Amino acid sequence: MVINKVDIQTQIADAVEAARRTNPLVGSVTNAVTVNFVANAQLAVGGSAAVVYLSEEGEILSNVGNAFYINIGTLLPIHEHALPLIAKGLHDSAKPWVLDPVAVGIGTLRTGLLMQFKAYMPSIIRGNASEIIALANLWDNKKGETSNVRGVDSTDAVSSARAAAVALAKQTGGAVAVSGKTDLITNGEIVVYSYGGSHYFEKITGAGCSLGGITAVYAATSSPFIAALAATAIYNLAGHRAESKASGPGSFHVEFIDELYKAKAVDVANNQFEVEEA
Amino acid sequence: MVINKVDIQTQIADAVEAARRTNPLVGSVTNAVTVNFVANAQLAVGGSAAVVYLSEEGEILSNVGNAFYINIGTLLPIHEHALPLIAKGLHDSAKPWVLDPVAVGIGTLRTGLLMQFKAYMPSIIRGNASEIIALANLWDNKKGETSNVRGVDSTDAVSSARAAAVALAKQTGGAVAVSGKTDLITNGEIVVYSYGGSHYFEKITGAGCSLGGITAVYAATSSPFIAALAATAIYNLAGHRAESKASGPGSFHVEFIDELYKAKAVDVANNQFEVEEA
Amino acid sequence: MVINKVDIQTQIADAVEAARRTNPLVGSVTNAVTVNFVANAQLAVGGSAAVVYLSEEGEILSNVGNAFYINIGTLLPIHEHALPLIAKGLHDSAKPWVLDPVAVGIGTLRTGLLMQFKAYMPSIIRGNASEIIALANLWDNKKGETSNVRGVDSTDAVSSARAAAVALAKQTGGAVAVSGKTDLITNGEIVVYSYGGSHYFEKITGAGCSLGGITAVYAATSSPFIAALAATAIYNLAGHRAESKASGPGSFHVEFIDELYKAKAVDVANNQFEVEEA
């Protein structure tokens, strides 16, 4: 397999520009803590954000929208009924959607929902290493590995989730993004490591969620793999730039949104990454 | 009809000062995405913010509070029962309230709620052009026009909603504010165009919601028409000033809250507007 | 009783350092308006934040987490069932937890929940003067006093809640923190007055909530009394420093998070306070 970095960079730049040009409508079911951050991050990269709870509204958005983001961070009773219907609607209408399996393993509702999502084939799965390993275990791919989900934080290194990520990508036919100090993105055949970001990402709530939300914006106009790469690249570029201007996590958050908004496609495409075969 | 701009300006300045002096208590049922922004905007202009979900608590706030804001952006099952009771309570106690018909037309619950609100006569209706046209259609005033609601964004120009806004204002006996590049506010007899604001309003989530929330603060101490004018004016003034200091939507958001807080009544009153007969 | 200020300062510094070193996992059930601010404040002082609604998830967090924060600001139907179970779980597992009795007195669900919490003995109760007086009345300690809860704001002075705070602290065997211009913290034997803070705290939503959230972080590694003192001290220090850099409530909020993050343990310990016997 010949891996052409320049070709990947061209597609990343195209994804960044397409989102700004077409203003895709991205629906979300996402957690209460970071919903504002997710929506603002989506707007900053060119998307339009619509958040819903009701299954009927989610199904309407699945039809009229261009992509969807599902984040199970703070589950409410309504999600038990609504989320499987929305995920099924996305699958049936072949709309790209991003799954953020936050805190997989905590509680029976969360586990039950994630088990149902398996049939609906998320285009992109984004999580930290512990979450990706745990989801792969749950979906029966990597029974031998163990993960360490602790609340919303990862206690595993990104590299430890490589096999799980590749397995999930092959299973879904989409892409998987593992977030951490260095991010790993794979489509099951190629593994990309993306560099940059900031230590402040661990000091603000919703860094991972906003990455998931941005990924859904790019999924509206690009392949799952390119969408995951573009989102991770702009996120790492903006995080790196924001850190240099910030004096703490509060100002970092503000600068990060500004840098997402200002990032040029060519700079996103040139954000450091490495490619290897899966 | 003689329209006296100076008289309007005096009343706008009075509204701004009264809110700061009396710290009115404003209840809200509002969406999950922007609830923090709405509350902070209300505090920045002098109000006190209390957000509720339960009908009993909404009814208590309808009595002890000075005004109310209802935004149907992210509907939950509880809203089906609670919102009509709260709106009825506001109507029965003659408390001023602002309706933000976000995404009117999306889903049966949303449509059903808005149909019920017709009987409870919101003092002020605030929305983008698409929403105002769609609500007027729903309430049977302008059956001939068509709107283009797409998620939470407007795809219609403000001017196209002029007739719908005037009709709704006559129907409710209150005021209607149409948000866009230039804002239109009417009490059914006079139409005001308010200038200023910022292109960043489309790049942050909740710009419209925060305007609705501020409008409710001013509605506590002013007539619906003056409240809508004062809210739009301070919003456009603060947005214009914030844009000149911002380097992206993140810093714009921060500067915007600061400018809402710092705006002097006389400057709000002098923010550019034009008046014509409806 | 000999009261040693230096000993208290040493314990405050230890609490600040322990939180940063051990990154305690703090679960929360908290209100929709300020949940993002609470989580970011908790992260800024070294904690890890996990927000839940479902009783099962709350009970899991009660076991695996190090402390918990319960804020009843925006009640949903689910809270009627879930909150007593979570509070009972915290009590049964002897985990430290902070109760923020927001708007006590408003509505039957709120009153019913607070009555049930009495049996589960919160380690720390944090509220404004009106809330502390009202809770003490509700729990039968100070039937003779009256409070003036108005929405989420206090209309009573901190000093007026001294007796109520001491009584609640004796009743629970924990600590009580009364927030206001000068903050009062007591363990039932000693009363501490903490100085600093900012007038902007009244102009942003969630100042009290974020203090409650930070208190829960410190409660994970310190006694209730020291946790309440350390949280109030870092909050007042960061608020004072942030005010000097802010030009309004928007920038104050940003600077406040930065200053929470940057505050050195020795400076927190040296933030002005006075001690007297209860």
Side-chain angles (χ1 to χ4, degrees):
Chain A
M1 182 172 56
V2 177
I3 297 169
N4 188 330
K5 277 191 75 172
V6 172
D7 182 54
I8 290 173
Q9 289 175 313
T10 303
Q11 294 183 67
I12 289 174
D14 288 348
V16 171
E17 287 173 351
R20 295 219 170 100
R21 192 175 59 245
T22 64
N23 184 224
L25 176 59
V26 179
S28 290
V29 173
T30 190
N31 75 69
V33 186
T34 66
V35 57
N36 184 269
F37 186 12
V38 167
N40 275 322
Q42 291 178 321
L43 267 60
V45 301
S48 175
V51 176
V52 294
Y53 292 91
L54 307 180
S55 60
E56 185 203 15
E57 297 184 356
E59 292 175 295
I60 293 171
L61 262 179
S62 301
N63 280 317
V64 303
N66 305 107
F68 212 94
Y69 175 56
I70 293 181
N71 173 310
I72 57 169
T74 54
L75 291 176
L76 287 164
I78 189 177
H79 292 132
E80 180 168 10
H81 177 70
L83 273 176
L85 290 173
I86 294 172
K88 182 177 187 306
L90 291 162
H91 180 261
D92 292 350
S93 60
K95 284 287 162 68
W97 68 285
V98 176
L99 173 62
D100 215 328
V102 181
V104 44
I106 308 292
T108 51
L109 176 54
R110 202 173 299 261
T111 300
L113 287 170
L114 288 170
M115 281 307 296
Q116 293 179 74
F117 289 158
K118 184 181 177 184
Y120 302 131
M121 293 288 196
S123 317
I124 302 161
I125 300 164
R126 191 221 68 82
N128 62 42
S130 299
E131 290 162 349
I132 295 299
I133 295 170
L135 186 66
N137 283 340
L138 189 67
W139 287 4
D140 263 343
N141 295 295
K142 304 293 298 176
K143 275 183 172 167
E145 294 183 1
T146 58
S147 73
N148 299 288
V149 175
R150 192 197 77 144
V152 298
D153 300 325
S154 180
T155 55
D156 295 297
V158 165
S159 58
S160 68
R162 190 186 194 281
V166 170
L168 284 172
K170 285 183 175 168
Q171 183 175 17
T172 58
V176 175
V178 188
S179 305
K181 189 166 174 2
T182 298
D183 299 304
L184 181 159
I185 303 100
T186 182
N187 61 359
E189 298 182 357
I190 304 173
V191 170
V192 173
Y193 292 94
S194 174
Y195 299 89
S198 170
H199 69 88
Y200 282 125
F201 281 148
E202 293 186 357
K203 290 296 174 187
I204 60 172
T205 187
C209 308
S210 67
L211 174 55
I214 294 169
T215 305
V217 173
Y218 291 136
T221 54
S222 309
S223 73
F225 185 48
I226 293 298
L229 288 174
T232 307
I234 196 169
Y235 173 88
N236 278 334
L237 178 69
H240 178 71
R241 289 177 170 175
E243 182 179 312
S244 71
K245 298 179 179 179
S247 59
S251 49
F252 174 77
H253 189 136
V254 173
E255 299 285 352
F256 177 60
I257 293 285
D258 280 3
E259 296 296 337
L260 284 177
Y261 177 77
K262 291 189 290 184
K264 291 180 182 169
V266 61
D267 293 341
V268 177
N270 285 328
N271 189 67
Q272 189 190 353
F273 68 97
E274 287 171 11
V275 184
E276 62 185 34
E277 292 189 32
Chain B
M1 182 172 59
V2 177
I3 297 169
N4 189 329
K5 278 190 75 171
V6 172
D7 183 53
I8 290 174
Q9 288 174 314
T10 302
Q11 293 184 66
I12 289 174
D14 287 349
V16 172
E17 287 172 351
R20 296 219 170 99
R21 192 175 59 245
T22 64
N23 184 224
L25 175 60
V26 180
S28 290
V29 173
T30 190
N31 76 69
V33 186
T34 66
V35 57
N36 184 269
F37 187 11
V38 167
N40 275 322
Q42 291 179 321
L43 268 60
V45 301
S48 174
V51 175
V52 294
Y53 292 90
L54 307 179
S55 59
E56 184 203 17
E57 296 183 356
E59 293 175 294
I60 293 171
L61 262 179
S62 301
N63 279 316
V64 304
N66 304 107
F68 212 94
Y69 175 56
I70 294 182
N71 174 309
I72 57 168
T74 54
L75 291 175
L76 287 164
I78 189 177
H79 293 132
E80 181 168 9
H81 176 70
L83 273 175
L85 289 174
I86 294 171
K88 182 177 187 305
L90 290 162
H91 180 261
D92 291 350
S93 61
K95 283 288 163 68
W97 68 286
V98 176
L99 173 62
D100 215 328
V102 181
V104 44
I106 308 291
T108 50
L109 175 54
R110 201 173 301 260
T111 300
L113 287 171
L114 288 171
M115 281 306 298
Q116 293 180 75
F117 290 158
K118 185 182 177 183
Y120 302 131
M121 294 287 197
S123 317
I124 301 162
I125 300 165
R126 191 221 67 84
N128 62 41
S130 299
E131 290 162 349
I132 296 299
I133 295 170
L135 186 66
N137 283 340
L138 189 67
W139 288 5
D140 263 344
N141 296 295
K142 304 295 299 175
K143 275 184 172 167
E145 295 183 1
T146 58
S147 73
N148 299 287
V149 175
R150 192 197 77 145
V152 297
D153 300 325
S154 180
T155 56
D156 295 296
V158 165
S159 58
S160 68
R162 189 187 195 281
V166 170
L168 284 171
K170 286 182 176 168
Q171 184 175 16
T172 58
V176 175
V178 189
S179 305
K181 189 166 176 358
T182 299
D183 298 305
L184 181 158
I185 302 99
T186 182
N187 60 359
E189 297 182 357
I190 304 173
V191 170
V192 172
Y193 292 94
S194 174
Y195 298 90
S198 169
H199 68 89
Y200 283 125
F201 281 146
E202 294 186 358
K203 290 295 174 188
I204 60 172
T205 187
C209 308
S210 68
L211 174 55
I214 294 169
T215 305
V217 173
Y218 292 136
T221 54
S222 309
S223 73
F225 186 47
I226 294 298
L229 288 174
T232 307
I234 197 169
Y235 174 88
N236 279 333
L237 177 69
H240 178 72
R241 288 178 171 174
E243 182 180 313
S244 70
K245 299 179 179 176
S247 59
S251 49
F252 174 78
H253 189 135
V254 173
E255 298 286 353
F256 177 59
I257 293 285
D258 280 3
E259 296 296 336
L260 284 177
Y261 177 76
K262 291 189 290 183
K264 292 180 183 169
V266 61
D267 293 341
V268 177
N270 285 327
N271 190 65
Q272 189 190 353
F273 68 97
E274 287 171 11
V275 184
E276 62 186 32
E277 291 188 31
Chain C
M1 181 172 59
V2 177
I3 297 168
N4 188 329
K5 277 190 76 172
V6 173
D7 181 54
I8 290 174
Q9 287 175 314
T10 302
Q11 293 183 66
I12 289 174
D14 287 348
V16 172
E17 287 172 352
R20 295 219 171 101
R21 190 175 61 245
T22 64
N23 184 224
L25 175 58
V26 179
S28 291
V29 173
T30 190
N31 76 71
V33 186
T34 67
V35 57
N36 184 268
F37 186 12
V38 167
N40 275 323
Q42 290 178 322
L43 267 61
V45 301
S48 175
V51 176
V52 293
Y53 291 90
L54 307 180
S55 59
E56 185 202 16
E57 297 183 355
E59 292 174 296
I60 293 171
L61 263 178
S62 300
N63 279 317
V64 304
N66 304 106
F68 212 94
Y69 174 56
I70 293 182
N71 173 310
I72 57 168
T74 54
L75 291 175
L76 287 164
I78 189 176
H79 293 131
E80 180 169 9
H81 177 70
L83 274 176
L85 289 174
I86 294 171
K88 182 177 189 305
L90 291 162
H91 180 261
D92 292 351
S93 60
K95 283 288 162 70
W97 68 286
V98 177
L99 172 63
D100 215 328
V102 182
V104 44
I106 307 291
T108 51
L109 176 54
R110 202 173 299 261
T111 300
L113 287 170
L114 289 171
M115 281 306 297
Q116 292 179 74
F117 290 158
K118 184 181 177 184
Y120 303 131
M121 294 288 198
S123 317
I124 301 162
I125 300 166
R126 190 220 69 82
N128 62 41
S130 299
E131 290 162 350
I132 295 300
I133 295 171
L135 186 67
N137 284 339
L138 189 67
W139 287 4
D140 262 344
N141 296 295
K142 305 293 299 177
K143 276 184 172 164
E145 294 183 2
T146 58
S147 74
N148 299 287
V149 175
R150 191 196 77 144
V152 297
D153 300 324
S154 180
T155 55
D156 295 296
V158 165
S159 58
S160 68
R162 189 187 195 281
V166 170
L168 284 172
K170 285 182 175 168
Q171 183 176 17
T172 59
V176 175
V178 189
S179 305
K181 188 164 176 3
T182 298
D183 299 305
L184 181 158
I185 302 99
T186 183
N187 60 0
E189 298 182 355
I190 303 172
V191 171
V192 172
Y193 291 95
S194 173
Y195 297 90
S198 169
H199 69 89
Y200 283 125
F201 281 148
E202 293 186 358
K203 289 296 173 188
I204 60 173
T205 187
C209 308
S210 67
L211 174 55
I214 294 168
T215 304
V217 173
Y218 292 136
T221 54
S222 308
S223 73
F225 185 47
I226 292 298
L229 287 174
T232 306
I234 196 169
Y235 173 88
N236 279 334
L237 177 70
H240 178 72
R241 289 177 170 174
E243 182 181 312
S244 70
K245 299 179 179 178
S247 60
S251 49
F252 174 77
H253 188 136
V254 174
E255 298 286 352
F256 177 59
I257 294 285
D258 281 3
E259 296 296 336
L260 284 176
Y261 177 76
K262 291 189 290 184
K264 291 181 182 169
V266 61
D267 292 341
V268 177
N270 284 328
N271 189 66
Q272 188 191 355
F273 67 97
E274 287 171 11
V275 184
E276 63 185 33
E277 291 189 32

